[in-house]
Amino acid sequence: MGGTSGAARPGTAQLTALERTVATHRLVNLTGPLGSGKTWMAARLGPAARVELDRPGALDALARELGAPSARLLVIDNADRREDLGSLRDTLDQAGDTRPTVLVLSRKPLLSAPGWAGSEVVTVAVHPLPDAEVGALAAAARIDSPAGRALVTSLAGGVPLLAESACRALHDGVPPDVPGAVADHVTEDILRRLGRELPGIRRRNALRLLATVGAGDERLLRAGPELFTGLAALSLVRRTALGLALPDPYRQVMELAYRWRRPVEHGTLRTRAAGYRAAQLRAARTPVERLRLVEQGLFLAGDPSVLRLLRPMAPSPASIRPAVAADADAVGALLHQWALHNGFDPRRSDRLAERWLGEGTADFVIARDEEGRPVGVANLTVIEERTLSGAEPLLQQHADRFLAGAEPAGLFIGAAFCPDPVIRAQILRHTLTLAVRYGRSVVSTASPDYQSLLGGLRFRPHGAVRDDVYGGGHPPRVFSGDMTPHELPAWLGRLTDADADADGTASVAAGPDPRLVGRALRRIGDPVALARSPLLAAPHIAGVAGLRAWLDDAVRTLAQSPSPTEAEAGRVLRTYYLERCASHDQAAARLHLSRATYFRRLRHGLSVIGARFTAAGE
């Protein structure tokens, strides 16, 4: 992997840690995905001999360098081809104790390769850079506009290669308000750097499809065994419980580029993936299966706030566990930071925290970073008699609905805080996981960001509480989401429909709600918008063109029905949707129908089309 130039590069904290490791161990493996900065870090360790393992005669050159007594450090780069790694181990072993300190750079850990188990190698992983350091990199690249820097930071996800590629795209004239075009430039750099791993156009295309669905098995990707195995061998690809997956930010960038290049195909693929996940949710038999499928569903969310705040594939170094008694002071300090961060009255917030902590730390989880420092907290309370006093002030007039036993209880979420956006996303995903386990989540939040997220998650809004309990100038708002095994498929349908509201419509797999039919008919002249329709998940529909043809034929057939009521309903649908009347009033006037009769026929026609759609798929 070749290095990149520049007068200044971030990552000095990681470089210091690598220097300590190289100083105390004789064989070190610096590992991280392509573009993560391995070569840059190795170049700043001081004088070193260097061998590119992917070049002809590399093993002979390696043997010569290992025998050179003056070499203090030997860097072996591009140790990525499996067929080279066995010979590398043999050559290092043959050199014995006389060899210099060796630093091996690889995209995957050497310990994952055959023949390396039991070696003395010490693995050091490269971590993504903080957003502030990526911003500094963009500034050094003379990206002066705030919009440009924000886009570079968003696309890079802490990976220097992606940041530098995005900067080059902006300097090349791609405007920052067209992120798909910038992502396309970055994607080409990713694919070029994957070159020796990625022969053939089919693998390149399959990688874009994989980026779009989040995780994919052979059936979802429509990939045969050979192509699937080829994808699995790529250094960027991970094996997961639900198939292969790309980590963010690579997945995010490649999907954004694919959506820019082929918006209709992108929408169709996401819709098919949503239908596939809904079918898997209905068949899931264990909570663990359902949790995994819900996490995958987040990739397909129709609201951008879900991806922005939950970052489904963002790697996080933090660990999250239930708080114990010894964590009480850390929990209290983090809740105080949470209040200050949100502009709350600290005295009011501290009193509320004292009430929460009155029963101990059992209702909190705490996030710790790699060094064990507490960096995030969440108040996650199972709704029961013991917890009523802590939840009631944040629910107020809505409390009876959730606390009096009239409805199933579930999990109450009163706070979730971490200043680091990646770890905060990990905490939020953890709360969603628990919501699935308990079947319901009740949330009270004054945060506009969290309110937007809950809307994107299609939670049901119940309105604001009466009193501004935090003293922040606006009272919290209450939301709830039902996530029982029975509800999850329909919830996924709402989550993946960009136009659904919190009360949403049922999953098409259970029989389309008439509103889904009406929405698809409104989009019938816009293939990009129609590509988002959940109706495309039905097995008898062959893509956007197939759905458009089916709907057109269904409406015209209904208008010719021998039943006068159905025929009139068909004419209403044909006039409003196919002939593109400007308004319902204009359509009713054209058909000489009263408004009441017009809307009765409209609803009836949509219901009949929905029933026929279901029957056609059986």
Side-chain angles (χ1 to χ4, degrees):
M1 212 170 71
T4 52
S5 62
R9 281 285 297 270
T12 54
Q14 293 189 58
L15 178 58
T16 300
L18 177 62
E19 288 172 335
R20 289 197 299 264
T21 305
V22 169
T24 53
H25 296 84
R26 299 188 65 247
L27 179 58
V28 179
N29 176 206
L30 182 62
T31 182
L34 66 87
S36 54
K38 301 184 294 296
T39 302
W40 180 88
M41 292 175 66
R44 277 142 186 85
L45 291 175
R50 184 184 182 89
V51 172
E52 303 279 351
L53 197 61
D54 61 340
R55 295 191 177 177
L59 290 176
D60 292 335
L62 174 60
R64 289 194 298 272
E65 295 294 347
L66 288 170
S70 61
R72 184 187 72 83
L73 176 66
L74 172 59
V75 175
I76 303 173
D77 205 348
N78 296 326
D80 298 314
R81 295 189 304 202
R82 292 263 166 164
E83 59 267 28
D84 295 337
L85 297 184
S87 299
L88 172 62
R89 171 76 192 273
D90 291 341
T91 304
L92 293 175
D93 287 346
Q94 290 168 11
D97 295 335
T98 61
R99 62 173 170 77
T101 297
V102 174
L103 175 64
V104 183
L105 313 185
S106 62
R107 293 173 181 173
K108 287 187 175 182
L110 292 177
L111 289 173
S112 69
W116 281 84
S119 70
E120 63 175 341
V121 66
V122 175
T123 303
V124 177
V126 178
H127 297 303
L129 300 176
D131 285 353
E133 294 193 10
V134 176
L137 195 155
R142 289 182 288 180
I143 301 299
D144 298 324
S145 76
R149 290 190 190 180
L151 179 61
V152 170
T153 301
S154 173
L155 293 179
V159 177
L161 168 70
L162 307 192
E164 292 171 359
S165 179
C167 290
R168 289 197 303 274
L170 293 172
H171 282 306
D172 197 39
V174 182
D177 60 350
V178 188
V182 179
D184 188 62
H185 186 285
V186 178
T187 295
E188 289 305 306
D189 273 354
I190 294 172
L191 295 175
R192 178 179 56 80
R193 296 287 284 270
L194 275 176
R196 61 179 178 270
E197 301 181 43
L198 197 67
I201 192 67
R202 291 184 66 222
R203 282 196 190 178
R204 291 170 64 101
N205 289 339
L207 204 59
R208 291 186 175 100
L209 301 185
L210 179 59
T212 299
V213 301
D217 53 25
E218 282 189 17
R219 184 175 178 187
L220 179 56
L221 294 175
R222 294 179 176 174
E226 182 179 354
L227 178 57
F228 191 82
T229 301
L231 286 177
L234 299 177
S235 62
L236 271 183
V237 174
R238 306 288 182 264
R239 289 177 171 88
T240 73
L242 294 175
L244 305 179
L246 280 166
D248 274 343
Y250 305 92
R251 184 209 65 80
Q252 175 192 15
V253 167
M254 295 180 76
E255 183 195 357
L256 190 60
Y258 181 58
R259 184 171 63 193
W260 177 74
R261 283 195 173 206
R262 296 191 170 189
V264 174
E265 289 89 339
H266 173 270
T268 301
L269 178 60
R270 283 174 59 87
T271 299
R272 180 163 62 82
Y276 190 63
R277 295 296 182 219
Q280 288 181 302
L281 272 171
R282 286 192 297 276
R285 293 293 177 263
T286 68
V288 171
E289 289 179 277
R290 287 189 284 272
L291 291 176
R292 289 169 177 162
L293 290 165
V294 165
E295 288 175 344
Q296 283 302 305
L298 298 176
F299 291 105
L300 308 172
D303 192 300
S305 64
V306 176
L307 294 177
R308 178 172 59 86
L309 291 174
L310 293 184
R311 300 187 179 201
M313 285 293 281
S316 172
S319 61
I320 298 176
R321 59 170 177 77
V324 298
D327 295 322
D329 288 345
V331 169
L334 286 165
L335 288 175
H336 187 72
Q337 292 181 43
W338 163 72
L340 295 177
H341 176 80
N342 286 285
F344 299 155
D345 181 337
R347 292 172 298 176
R348 292 193 188 187
S349 302
D350 288 346
R351 284 197 296 270
L352 187 59
E354 288 172 6
R355 179 179 291 193
W356 285 341
L357 286 167
E359 297 292 330
T361 58
D363 298 324
F364 290 89
V365 297
I366 193 164
R368 293 184 177 273
D369 64 14
E370 286 181 297
E371 298 181 11
R373 295 172 299 194
V375 292
V377 70
N379 171 242
L380 309 175
T381 305
V382 178
I383 298 175
E384 56 189 15
E385 185 174 353
R386 177 186 66 82
T387 60
L388 299 185
S389 63
E392 192 280 333
L394 296 181
L395 295 175
Q396 296 180 20
Q397 74 270 27
H398 306 289
D400 286 348
R401 174 192 294 270
F402 303 110
L403 305 181
E407 298 189 25
L411 186 75
F412 174 70
I413 302 171
F417 170 72
C418 179
D420 182 284
V422 173
I423 299 176
R424 180 174 67 242
Q426 185 184 6
I427 294 171
L428 294 174
R429 295 196 303 268
H430 181 78
T431 66
L432 189 62
T433 295
L434 291 180
V436 174
R437 181 179 303 170
Y438 287 102
R440 168 185 286 239
S441 181
V442 180
V443 187
S444 178
T445 178
S447 164
D449 275 349
Y450 286 176
Q451 291 171 6
S452 175
L453 171 64
L454 292 164
L457 287 171
R458 309 311 184 205
F459 275 35
R460 186 179 301 109
H462 299 285
V465 300
R466 286 187 300 264
D467 303 320
D468 180 6
V469 65
Y470 297 123
H474 45 276
R477 304 186 70 84
V478 177
F479 298 78
S480 70
D482 296 327
M483 307 191 79
T484 64
H486 175 72
E487 295 279 351
L488 282 175
W491 170 78
L492 181 61
R494 297 194 299 272
L495 178 72
T496 55
D497 183 355
D499 295 328
D501 55 25
D503 294 319
T505 53
S507 168
V508 64
D513 185 292
R515 284 176 290 182
L516 284 182
V517 177
R519 192 171 296 144
L521 283 168
R522 280 199 302 275
R523 300 167 170 173
I524 198 167
D526 183 347
V528 174
L530 190 60
R532 298 195 297 268
S533 173
L535 298 179
L536 286 167
H540 63 288
I541 295 299
V544 173
L547 177 59
R548 181 177 182 176
W550 192 95
L551 290 170
D552 185 278
D553 180 69
V555 169
R556 297 185 188 282
T557 300
L558 186 65
Q560 297 171 3
S561 170
S563 163
T565 299
E566 289 193 356
E568 193 166 58
R571 289 194 293 274
V572 166
L573 299 183
R574 183 184 64 198
T575 301
Y576 182 67
Y577 293 112
L578 303 187
E579 297 174 3
R580 313 300 295 168
C581 264
S583 68
H584 287 295
D585 286 342
Q586 185 183 96
R590 184 180 298 179
L591 293 167
H592 306 292
L593 297 174
S594 68
R595 283 177 54 84
T597 301
Y598 172 86
F599 282 108
R600 279 199 303 272
R601 296 293 184 262
L602 179 73
R603 289 191 294 270
H604 179 68
L606 294 176
S607 295
V608 170
I609 297 293
R612 292 181 180 179
F613 188 89
T614 301
E618 294 176 349

